[in-house]
């Protein structure tokens, strides 16, 4: 893949519970840290060669210890100590010690205030801490120092995208492409952004260009396959997924990601047995992954296998007690089998945050929130692109609530509403469509 050595394609975090895991799209942004390129600082340092400090790939603890000897040696030149600080900063970054990374990058700046990579890397550490004000300050300093370096604009564009400032993200991606029109990953990321903004034709053009520039870009095949699935062109989608696998990616988590995309495409086309088979392939690779367990459980629920669904949601909660939707859906799946274990729901809910959506959905089944309060809260919290999502969720879970209380007619209306309003990337979509079909006269 064309991930440029010497620059960071930021390592992602493993998604947690609650709001971060509710939609299928999150399965497409899993942590692929091993795919990430090294930072510019590490590449520059290693090119110069500092024995014992960054010379053994991936030995982050060894880097920290070895670099400390150089950093603390006042006889070393400022340039060498600055390099050692940058390398140790990278090691801290890779270990998730972002404050330590920031401290090292800041010290390196004290030795060399014009090293572009140091500002970019410190910006990345601030970004991991969601301190976007400081991150942007560093990106801006780097861009001012080297306005012709395309990768600065690319990284800053990703930061803007994290901030959901899509307009500025697009501007930076455009600038990166203007400066370096032969870098595949620039087109891939811009294509993914355009897809998220509804510009499907533009997204397709960018992803085609990315693959023309780098036919081995697994993630570009994956993104184009997801785009084709969103457009209901499933033959092309699976062709792209097959091409992604044919590249023979050597990272198990990436292979799992491809199979999960195949599962979701099969879900969307209504081939639930195939979707379950694809999820089984995923879980052979990552059997303890809570989000994949949740995805399979939703598919089992859509297929009407409520026992398997309840077991799957239970396994997801066991792996990650903060899985809001698995907590709710386990209770819902068991209720479809005639089991209403409210005490178990209450125990599971103790680990969840109560101050924001989707807590009212759990409160509904616990008898602490009324249906009208769920509707009002969903409407109040629904802003911009979240509006349809909240409407979808409220309709789906209120329908399940009505089913539990033997209000079939009301449930039918709400489930049909959920089936219409849930977007293609909502887990509830296929469940709502299947439930609406089961409830039909």
């Amino acid at each position: 893949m064309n991930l440029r050595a010497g620059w960071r394609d930021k390592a992602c975090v493993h998604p947690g519970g609650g709001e971060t895991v509710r939609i299928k799209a999150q399965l497409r942004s899993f942590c692929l840290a091993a795919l990430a390129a090294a930072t510019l600082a590490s590449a520059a340092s290693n090119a110069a060669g500092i024995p014992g400090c960054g010379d053994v790939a991936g030995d982050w603890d060894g880097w920290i210890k070895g670099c400390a000897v150089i950093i603390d040696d006042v006889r070393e030149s400022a340039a060498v100590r600055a390099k050692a600080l940058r390398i140790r900063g990278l090691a801290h970054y890779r270990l998730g010690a972002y404050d330590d990374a920031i401290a090292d990058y800041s010290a390196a700046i004290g030795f060399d205030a014009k090293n572009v990579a140091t500002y970019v890397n410190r910006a990345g550490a601030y970004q991991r801490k969601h301190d976007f004000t400081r991150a942007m300050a560093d990106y801006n300093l780097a861009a001012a120092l080297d306005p012709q370096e395309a990768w600065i604009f690319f990284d800053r564009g990703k930061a803007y995208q994290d901030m959901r400032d899509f307009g500025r993200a697009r501007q930076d991606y455009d600038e990166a492409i203007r400066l370096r029109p032969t870098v595949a990953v620039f087109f891939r990321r811009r294509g993914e952004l355009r897809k998220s903004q509804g510009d499907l034709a533009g997204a397709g053009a960018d992803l085609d260009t990315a693959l023309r520039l780098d036919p081995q870009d697994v993630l570009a095949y994956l993104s184009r396959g997801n785009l084709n699935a969103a457009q209901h062109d499933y033959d092309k989608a699976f062709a792209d997924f097959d091409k992604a696998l044919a590249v023979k990616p050597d990272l198990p988590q990436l292979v799992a990601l491809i199979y999960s995309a195949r599962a979701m495409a099969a879900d969307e086309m209504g081939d639930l047995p195939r979707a379950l088979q694809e999820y089984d392939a995923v879980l052979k690779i990552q059997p303890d992954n809570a989000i994949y367990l949740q995805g399979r459980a939703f598919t089992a629920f859509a297929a009407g296998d409520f026992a398997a669904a309840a077991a799957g949601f239970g396994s997801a909660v066991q792996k990650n007690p903060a899985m809001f939707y698995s907590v709710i859906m386990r209770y819902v799946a068991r209720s479809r089998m005639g089991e209403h274990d409210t005490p178990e729901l209450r125990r599971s809910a103790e680990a969840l945050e109560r101050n924001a959506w989707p807590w009212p959905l759990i409160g509904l089944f616990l008898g602490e929130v009324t249906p009208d309060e769920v509707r009002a809260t969903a409407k109040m919290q629904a802003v911009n692109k979240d509006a349809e999502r909240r409407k979808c969720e409220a309709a789906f879970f209120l329908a399940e609530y009505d089913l539990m209380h033997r209000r079939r007619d009301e449930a039918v209306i709400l489930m049909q509403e959920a089936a219409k309003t849930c977007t293609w990337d909502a887990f509830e979509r296929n469940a709502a469509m299947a439930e609406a079909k089961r409830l039909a006269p």
Side-chain angles (χ1 to χ4, degrees):
M1 288 185 294
N2 192 17
L3 294 178
R4 178 183 183 234
W7 280 87
R8 179 190 59 261
D9 192 7
K10 295 190 182 58
C12 60
V13 291
H14 192 84
E19 190 64 15
T20 61
V21 298
R22 67 152 313 281
I23 58 175
K24 299 175 188 174
Q26 289 296 332
L27 290 171
R28 299 174 181 130
S29 59
F30 260 4
C31 185
L32 300 177
L35 290 173
T39 64
L40 175 60
S42 70
S45 301
N46 290 336
I50 304 181
C53 174
D55 56 351
V56 179
D59 182 14
W60 312 127
D61 289 329
W63 288 22
I64 291 170
K65 293 176 183 177
C67 293
V69 175
I70 297 170
I71 293 165
D72 295 338
D73 188 348
V74 296
R75 296 170 299 175
E76 290 285 1
S77 68
V80 170
R81 293 171 74 188
K83 288 180 182 180
L85 282 162
R86 287 194 293 269
I87 296 172
R88 191 173 71 176
L90 170 62
H92 284 309
Y93 180 92
R94 291 302 192 194
L95 291 171
Y98 303 120
D99 287 332
D100 291 334
I102 290 167
D104 277 347
Y105 292 138
S106 298
I109 289 169
F111 284 116
D112 181 0
K114 293 188 177 182
N115 186 285
V116 174
T118 313
Y119 290 106
V120 174
N121 292 339
R122 190 172 69 174
Y126 280 130
Q127 193 173 336
R128 298 302 306 159
K129 289 167 58 67
H130 293 172
D131 187 344
F132 292 111
T133 299
R134 288 188 173 90
M136 280 301 161
D138 276 347
Y139 282 130
N140 293 340
L141 281 169
L145 285 168
D146 191 354
Q148 298 303 307
E149 178 49 74
W151 290 84
I152 297 172
F153 294 97
F154 177 66
D155 269 2
R156 191 174 69 178
K158 290 191 289 182
Y160 276 128
Q161 197 166 352
D162 285 349
M163 296 166 63
R164 301 180 68 81
D165 189 340
F166 301 123
R168 289 183 179 176
R170 173 63 186 273
Q171 289 175 1
D172 273 350
Y173 290 154
D174 289 347
E175 181 65 7
I177 288 170
R178 185 189 72 79
L179 291 168
R180 292 282 299 276
T182 59
V183 179
V185 68
F186 292 175
F187 286 95
R188 168 161 59 80
R189 287 296 298 236
R190 190 176 73 174
E192 291 165 351
L193 175 63
R194 294 173 84 171
K195 175 179 176 291
S196 72
Q197 295 301 102
D199 180 8
L200 302 187
D206 274 348
L207 293 171
D208 288 345
T209 301
L211 286 165
R212 177 175 57 78
L213 292 169
D214 182 6
Q216 300 299 303
D217 189 340
V218 175
L219 296 180
Y221 283 121
L222 184 60
S223 292
R224 195 173 67 177
N226 290 331
L227 175 64
N228 286 325
Q231 296 175 300
H232 307 297
D233 193 336
Y234 301 111
D235 288 339
K236 286 185 178 179
F238 279 98
D240 276 334
F241 298 145
D242 289 343
K243 289 175 182 176
L245 289 172
V247 175
K248 300 187 184 303
D250 58 358
L251 289 170
Q253 62 265 47
L254 180 53
V255 176
L257 192 67
I258 296 168
Y259 279 114
S260 76
R262 293 166 64 94
M264 289 181 286
D267 256 336
E268 185 65 16
M269 66 189 292
D271 190 344
L272 300 183
R274 181 175 183 176
L276 290 169
Q277 290 176 355
E278 300 287 3
Y279 272 123
D280 288 341
V282 174
L283 291 168
K284 284 182 180 178
I285 300 169
Q286 292 191 318
D288 295 330
N289 190 302
I291 298 181
Y292 290 144
L293 287 165
Q294 176 175 269
R296 191 190 190 284
F298 263 104
T299 299
F301 187 93
D305 189 346
F306 301 121
F313 289 125
S315 295
V317 173
Q318 185 179 28
K319 301 301 179 184
N320 183 353
M323 297 286 282
F324 249 117
Y325 292 89
S326 283
V327 169
I328 306 172
M329 285 301 299
R330 181 169 187 264
Y331 178 78
V332 169
R334 292 184 66 187
S335 77
R336 298 292 276 126
M337 297 187 293
E339 302 173 6
H340 301 276
D341 194 347
T342 304
E344 191 277 334
L345 176 63
R346 190 176 301 279
R347 288 192 299 273
S348 296
E350 290 177 357
L352 305 178
E353 173 60 49
R354 295 187 175 219
N355 294 328
W357 190 271
W359 169 258
L361 301 176
I362 291 182
L364 176 71
F365 295 111
L366 290 176
E368 298 178 11
V369 179
T370 69
D372 286 342
E373 288 172 334
V374 169
R375 294 185 185 95
T377 304
K379 184 176 181 180
M380 177 181 65
Q381 294 192 354
V383 292
N384 299 327
K385 68 175 292 184
D386 291 336
E388 289 302 310
R389 197 170 75 193
R390 296 283 189 267
K391 185 177 180 181
C392 152
E393 292 178 11
F396 176 76
F397 286 104
L398 285 169
E400 293 292 350
Y401 180 80
D402 280 339
L403 282 177
M404 292 179 195
H405 291 80
R406 302 182 185 279
R407 294 192 289 266
R408 182 185 177 88
D409 292 343
E410 292 88 339
V412 169
I413 294 171
L414 284 168
M415 201 64 77
Q416 290 172 344
E417 178 185 339
K420 291 177 181 178
T421 59
C422 290
T423 56
W424 69 273
D425 61 352
F427 275 126
E428 294 88 356
R429 173 182 166 84
N430 293 325
M433 293 174 66
E435 288 281 64
K437 186 175 182 179
R438 283 191 282 267
L439 291 170

